[in-house]
Amino acid sequence: MATIETDIAPRRPVFLRGFRWVVTHRSIALGGFLIGIIVLAAIFAPLIAPADPYVQDLLATMEPPSWAHPFGTDDNGRDILARVIYGARISLIEVVLSVGLAVAVGVPLGILSGMSGRYVDQAIMWAMDILFAFPGIVLAILIVSVLGTSLVNLLIAIAIFSVPVYARLSRNLTLGLKSMDYVEAAISLGVSRRRIMTHYILRNAIGPIIVQSTLTAGTVILSAASLSFLGLGAQPPLPEWGAMMSDGRNYLGLNIWMSLFPGLAIMITVLGFNILGDGLRDLLDPRK
C-alpha cells in the first residue's frame, strides 16, 4: 500500500514562536516591557513599596541611598522609592483619564466633521484651530488658573488641549474611508449615517487612533509632570513625580536623589510609551 507524503511542516513550540514574534516586533516588546514594569509597580505598590509613602521620619531626612532606603529619603524623611512606586499609580491615572477624555470628545467630533457638509466641517475645524493656536502647556496653565489648582482640573486641561489631535486625525481618516467602495455602497443602500459612522468609519479607524493614544500618553506624562512641577497639578502630600521633582529642586546641592529618581521614572515611562507607539504604528501599517 503506497504511503501519502505531506509537506506540512511540524508546528514550532510555543516559546519559539513567541521568541520569533519578540524578535520581529522588538519595539512592541521593549515598549510593552517598560510599561509593564510601571503597571505592575502601580498594581502591587502596597506589596513592593518598602515603606508608607506618606509617613514622615524627621530623624532621617535627606538621607542618601542605603539598604534601608534604596532611593534615599526626602526633606520630610519619607522614603523616595515608596513615593516613586506609588507615583506610578497617579501617572497611569493621568494617562487613562486624560487620553480617554480626549478620545471620547475628539474622535466623534472628527468623524462628524468628516461626514458632514461644508459649514459643519468648517465650524468644527475652526474651533480645533483655535485650540491649536495656543501652545499646549500654555493653554493648560490658563485652564488650570481658571478652574483652580487640583489634579482633576489638571487632567481636564490636558484633555482639552489633546482633543484637536484626535479630531484632526479622525477627520482625515473619515475623509479617506468615506470614499471607499463599501461605504459608498452602504450609503446607496440607505444605511443610516449613525451606523456608517460607527460600523464602517470608526471600526476601520481604530488602529491609527490606538497608535496616537499610545504616543499621546507620553505627552500627557510630561505635561502633567511639568504642571505639577510648577505647582499647578497634584498638591502635597500626593507622590506625583513632577511634584516630587519640584520639592527636590531646592536641595539639588545637598540631595540630588529627591529629583533624580522621579525624573528617571518619568523618562522610563515616556520612553516606554513612545517605543510602544512606534511599534504599534509599524504593526498596524497596512502598507507593510
Side-chain angles (χ1 to χ4, degrees), residues 45 96 111 134 153 174 196 206 210 274:
V96 172
I111 295 177
F134 294 91
N153 293 337
T174 301
I196 290 175
I206 197 68
I210 292 175
N274 288 342

Side-chain angles (χ1 to χ4, degrees), residues 11-26:
R11 191 175 183 84
R12 291 188 177 90
V14 175
F15 73 92
L16 288 179
R17 284 182 281 138
F19 177 76
R20 183 179 180 183
W21 188 94
V22 170
V23 172
T24 306
H25 304 91
R26 290 187 295 271

Side-chain angles (χ1 to χ4, degrees), residues 55-101:
V55 172
Q56 301 181 9
D57 184 1
L58 299 181
L59 298 179
T61 61
M62 310 287 288
E63 289 189 353
S66 62
W67 287 110
H69 304 286
F71 285 6
T73 59
D74 62 10
D75 55 328
N76 290 308
R78 297 172 297 195
D79 188 89
I80 296 177
L81 175 57
R83 291 179 64 78
V84 169
I85 292 174
Y86 274 86
R89 289 185 168 185
I90 298 177
S91 294
L92 292 178
I93 289 174
E94 291 170 347
V95 169
V96 172
L97 295 183
S98 295
V99 175
L101 182 58

Side-chain angles (χ1 to χ4, degrees), residues 97-109 159 162-163 166 206 209 213:
L97 295 183
S98 295
V99 175
L101 182 58
V103 170
V105 176
V107 171
L109 283 176
S162 300
V163 165
Y166 294 97
I206 197 68
I209 292 173
S213 299

Side-chain angles (χ1 to χ4, degrees), residues 41-175:
I43 294 174
F44 298 105
L47 300 178
I48 62 178
D52 190 313
Y54 300 103
V55 172
Q56 301 181 9
D57 184 1
L58 299 181
L59 298 179
T61 61
M62 310 287 288
E63 289 189 353
S66 62
W67 287 110
H69 304 286
F71 285 6
T73 59
D74 62 10
D75 55 328
N76 290 308
R78 297 172 297 195
D79 188 89
I80 296 177
L81 175 57
R83 291 179 64 78
V84 169
I85 292 174
Y86 274 86
R89 289 185 168 185
I90 298 177
S91 294
L92 292 178
I93 289 174
E94 291 170 347
V95 169
V96 172
L97 295 183
S98 295
V99 175
L101 182 58
V103 170
V105 176
V107 171
L109 283 176
I111 295 177
L112 178 63
S113 177
M115 290 294 296
S116 301
R118 174 182 176 184
Y119 296 107
V120 174
D121 184 22
Q122 287 184 348
I124 294 176
M125 286 300 102
W126 282 347
M128 297 300 103
D129 290 339
I130 292 174
L131 293 179
F132 259 131
F134 294 91
I137 194 69
V138 175
L139 180 61
I141 291 175
L142 176 62
I143 295 172
V144 171
S145 300
V146 173
L147 298 179
T149 302
S150 70
L151 182 60
V152 174
N153 293 337
L154 169 67
L155 300 182
I156 294 174
I158 295 175
I160 289 176
F161 79 70
S162 300
V163 165
V165 175
Y166 294 97
R168 281 182 171 272
L169 173 64
S170 55
R171 175 182 180 271
N172 293 337
L173 293 171
T174 301
L175 292 177

